[in-house]
Amino acid sequence: MYIAFDELPPHARLWIYQANRPLTEGEQAELAPLLKAFAADWSSHGRDLHASAVLLHDQFLVLANNESASSASGCSIDKSVNFVRELESRFGVSFFDRTQLAFLKNDKVELVPMQELKNKVAGGEISENTLYFDTLVNNYGDLQANWPREAKSSWLSRYF
């Protein structure tokens, strides 16, 4: 069952997939109905999930489920991963590259290879106050309140 993203309860569970590039306006127009259709059809052991899906900041695919209405099972999570892999193939984008970190700089998403993080911090390009898109955020309430969040408030705090 599809739920509009902005109508999710704060405890709704999230899965965030970061693209290795921003999706174009044309790609986003093609993607939007695919996301809605997936969320509407997403189920767990024959029970509809109360789900939503959206692309944020042109680059972050977010799948969500209201777990208090119906929990996602391993099989339903596998379905979502397969769906995201299909999107990768269709749009020529990677959603599973965890070696890139995303920051908000000058109102744009900037990707930084993980191996360059220490140098960027040492050079002052990334500070503890730089806004970081933490893909480990796992519920809608945290996404709304703290996303992106200051790097010092994430697992990156050890670098400062």
Side-chain angles (χ1 to χ4, degrees):
M1 177 171 121
Y2 175 78
I3 298 174
F5 193 73
D6 60 355
E7 294 176 12
L8 288 165
H11 61 271
R13 185 175 176 191
L14 300 181
W15 295 266
I16 301 174
Y17 298 91
Q18 175 182 299
N20 64 334
R21 64 169 177 81
L23 275 71
T24 67
E25 286 183 22
E27 289 171 328
Q28 290 181 49
E30 186 180 342
L31 178 65
L34 298 173
L35 294 178
K36 189 171 184 178
F38 174 77
D41 293 338
W42 198 12
S43 64
S44 176
H45 300 291
R47 292 187 333 228
D48 284 345
L49 297 179
H50 294 219
S52 192
V54 69
L55 185 73
L56 299 176
H57 298 277
D58 303 332
Q59 208 156 341
F60 300 94
L61 176 61
V62 182
L63 304 180
N65 179 50
N66 179 358
E67 294 276 305
S68 64
S70 185
S71 294
S73 65
C75 292
S76 62
I77 293 170
D78 287 347
K79 286 179 198 173
S80 70
V81 169
N82 289 335
F83 171 68
V84 175
R85 290 210 184 278
E86 290 170 14
L87 294 177
E88 282 186 317
S89 178
R90 183 174 190 148
F91 294 105
V93 65
S94 174
F95 285 108
F96 292 97
D97 180 1
R98 300 288 185 213
T99 66
Q100 302 280 326
L101 304 173
F103 296 90
L104 184 63
K105 297 185 81 176
N106 301 319
D107 294 322
K108 293 189 180 206
V109 176
E110 180 182 313
L111 296 180
V112 174
M114 197 172 294
Q115 69 268 19
E116 292 180 20
L117 181 61
K118 285 182 183 178
N119 290 337
K120 297 269 186 183
V121 169
E125 294 177 60
I126 295 173
S127 75
E128 61 185 12
N129 298 319
T130 303
L131 296 177
Y132 170 61
F133 290 100
D134 188 353
T135 58
L136 300 177
V137 169
N138 64 9
N139 69 63
Y140 181 75
D142 283 348
L143 183 87
Q144 292 302 101
N146 301 308
W147 203 76
R149 68 177 66 186
E150 291 182 333
K152 68 181 175 189
S153 299
S154 74
W155 67 271
L156 295 174
S157 63
R158 66 180 180 226
Y159 291 95
F160 306 104

